[in-house]
Amino acid sequence: MHSVRRFSIVLFFAALASPFVRPALGQTHDREHFRNAEVVYDWVTNRRDEKLRTFVTHPKTMPGKVPTIFFVGWLSCDSMEYPDANTRDGFGIFLRRLIDESGYATVRMDKPGVSESQGQCSKADFQSEIEGWQAAFDSLGKYKFIDQDRIFVVGLSNGGGFSPLAAREHPVRGFVSAGSWGRTWYEHMLELERRRLTSEGKSPAEINASVKAFADFYNFYLIKGMTPGQVISQHPEWKALWYDEPDGQYGRPAAFYQQLQALNLGEVWQSVTAPVLVIRGGADDIMSRADSESIARIVNQVHPGRAHYMEIEGMVHGFTVSGKFYDPLVPTVLEWMKQQLSRGTEVALDAAAVGFTSLFAGSTPETASTTAFRCAGVVPQHPPTIRTP
């Protein structure tokens, strides 16, 4: 059973620390079934020799090589497997519909410690996770039905920020980042804390005072490498500010976020030459417009017109509008992918050919010029609002 994913509601309601029970490696449990796709259950191994479960689907009635969607998942310790065909989880609906309606192969992975994957998610750092995504992408070559020249990468929430790192030097036809981020984690968290405090009804004076304290708190925590507990031990006056665990946040260890902060997403995205579609819900209270829009700005500063930013009015982080899944989202994404495939070989196919270790530079993303991002030619049933950044 899937809880609310990514790191959404918990951001506004104390700590995400509830334990969950997952089946032991090899233990049977409910599996997925699709009308138009077959599922292959496989494994990859990260550098820590942890076996990680992968889910590879291919169309039932399309022989030969087909385009492929590689999904890079969220922050939380939730599985990417959705056996419930009637799930109300927006991310699950999005995944299942793309699998069943695209006619493409798809690939997903459960990060260390999630469901059948070995490890302990609550203690797994980002490097162990990205090594898993990279191993999963490297494994695509062994599947005869995957067309290596027609692979799309779809990053969801946190995964949409670093998704080019999963592909590394492999060819990619296009990137889709949905509800994601392209700045430093420090910037993201300060803005998030201000929104959280505002939503709790704090006074303007309380909010400003708290954000000033959080600026120092997150400097010690994210940049100087201390755990939240160590920071509070040195600065007991901040004890009332902290709402999560002393050794981590949102169910992940402190090291995970320190490694996110160390990423230079400006370098990651400026190295991407494939087309990019950035999607954000106008009512997303987790990833701000500045978080998501920065990806398109970075790409377009270096490769003008290569990235498109789409903002869907009223859509929240979990792809719903007024409590219902935003149905035009799937055909919109598929239409964009078809457009990239129809453009042929003139589209640059290489992903971000940069080494993982070189990205831990601690620098902020480059600023970009103001550009209008439009998703030309995509006309869903209820068109999203396209805004000029």
Side-chain angles (χ1 to χ4, degrees):
M1 182 174 185
H2 287 75
S3 62
V4 176
R5 335 200 152 271
R6 286 58 56 185
F7 50 116
S8 50
I9 292 178
V10 295
L11 293 172
F12 300 98
F13 296 98
L16 182 146
S18 57
F20 60 92
V21 179
R22 59 178 180 267
L25 192 67
Q27 181 176 332
T28 60
H29 62 283
D30 291 342
R31 288 303 193 191
E32 295 175 326
H33 298 280
F34 298 94
R35 181 179 58 185
N36 300 315
E38 298 283 358
V39 185
V40 177
Y41 294 90
D42 211 338
W43 302 97
V44 295
T45 304
N46 62 14
R47 294 181 182 178
R48 304 182 187 195
D49 292 325
E50 295 169 330
K51 290 181 65 177
L52 309 177
R53 170 63 78 192
T54 58
F55 313 92
V56 183
T57 69
H58 60 90
K60 290 180 179 179
T61 60
M62 297 184 67
K65 295 181 180 295
V66 295
T68 299
I69 301 172
F70 184 91
F71 292 103
V72 181
W74 38 78
L75 182 149
S76 64
C77 296
D78 290 287
S79 176
M80 296 195 78
E81 183 181 22
Y82 283 85
D84 181 6
N86 298 313
T87 179
R88 299 179 64 183
D89 181 287
F91 279 69
I93 295 171
F94 181 69
L95 289 170
R96 287 191 61 93
R97 288 191 182 177
L98 280 177
I99 291 168
D100 229 2
E101 299 173 13
S102 65
Y104 298 172
T106 72
V107 181
R108 293 161 288 157
M109 183 202 77
D110 274 347
K111 65 188 70 176
V114 172
S115 190
E116 296 175 297
S117 292
Q118 292 179 328
Q120 189 171 351
C121 186
S122 63
K123 295 184 178 180
D125 62 11
F126 175 72
Q127 187 160 352
S128 67
E129 182 174 320
I130 191 63
E131 289 170 359
W133 295 118
Q134 291 170 344
F137 207 103
D138 290 345
S139 74
L140 301 188
K142 72 179 185 179
Y143 301 105
K144 294 182 179 180
F145 51 83
I146 290 180
D147 187 335
Q148 301 295 313
D149 292 327
R150 294 190 294 169
I151 297 175
F152 292 95
V153 176
V154 176
L156 303 173
S157 190
N158 186 47
F162 61 81
S163 59
L165 296 179
R168 292 184 291 184
E169 74 281 359
H170 294 288
V172 172
R173 185 57 66 97
F175 289 89
V176 178
S177 288
S180 196
W181 63 296
R183 304 189 291 169
T184 66
W185 196 254
Y186 178 84
E187 291 172 285
H188 163 74
M189 286 307 304
L190 285 185
E191 186 177 9
L192 182 63
E193 296 293 8
R194 178 175 286 276
R195 290 201 307 275
R196 180 182 64 82
L197 292 164
T198 301
S199 73
E200 292 176 353
K202 303 293 185 183
S203 71
E206 289 177 301
I207 292 170
N208 275 16
S210 295
V211 171
K212 286 180 180 180
F214 270 124
D216 290 330
F217 179 93
Y218 279 111
N219 179 53
F220 285 114
Y221 166 23
L222 295 176
I223 298 172
K224 295 187 177 180
M226 299 171 66
T227 66
Q230 289 170 336
V231 176
I232 293 171
S233 178
Q234 290 190 12
H235 295 274
E237 69 274 18
W238 295 340
K239 185 176 180 179
L241 285 176
W242 191 237
Y243 48 83
D244 215 319
E245 297 298 315
D247 57 353
Q249 194 174 13
Y250 313 134
R252 308 304 299 271
F256 182 93
Y257 301 102
Q258 291 159 0
Q259 291 168 2
L260 288 184
Q261 169 61 24
L263 292 173
N264 186 337
L265 295 187
E267 183 177 356
V268 171
W269 285 104
Q270 76 175 23
S271 300
V272 170
T273 59
V276 177
L277 175 62
V278 180
I279 301 172
R280 177 183 176 268
D284 189 337
D285 54 8
I286 306 304
M287 295 296 185
S288 70
R289 182 179 178 186
D291 283 328
S292 296
E293 192 178 79
S294 59
I295 296 174
R297 288 185 179 276
I298 292 166
V299 173
N300 281 338
Q301 182 179 1
V302 182
H303 307 288
R306 192 63 56 87
H308 302 277
Y309 175 80
M310 173 183 293
E311 188 158 301
I312 300 171
E313 186 174 1
M315 190 174 79
V316 301
H317 191 66
F319 302 156
T320 62
V321 176
S322 300
K324 296 182 179 180
F325 181 76
Y326 183 69
D327 286 317
L329 182 61
V330 170
T332 297
V333 170
L334 290 177
E335 177 62 27
W336 182 83
M337 290 179 177
K338 290 176 182 176
Q339 289 178 10
Q340 310 319 311
L341 293 175
S342 68
R343 292 175 63 186
T345 56
E346 77 272 13
V347 177
L349 300 179
D350 54 309
V354 290
F356 173 66
T357 56
S358 71
L359 298 168
F360 288 86
S363 57
T364 59
E366 296 80 352
T367 57
S369 59
T370 299
T371 310
F373 307 123
R374 302 188 64 85
C375 192
V378 177
V379 186
Q381 183 178 358
H382 303 289
T385 299
I386 309 296
R387 295 177 178 170
T388 301

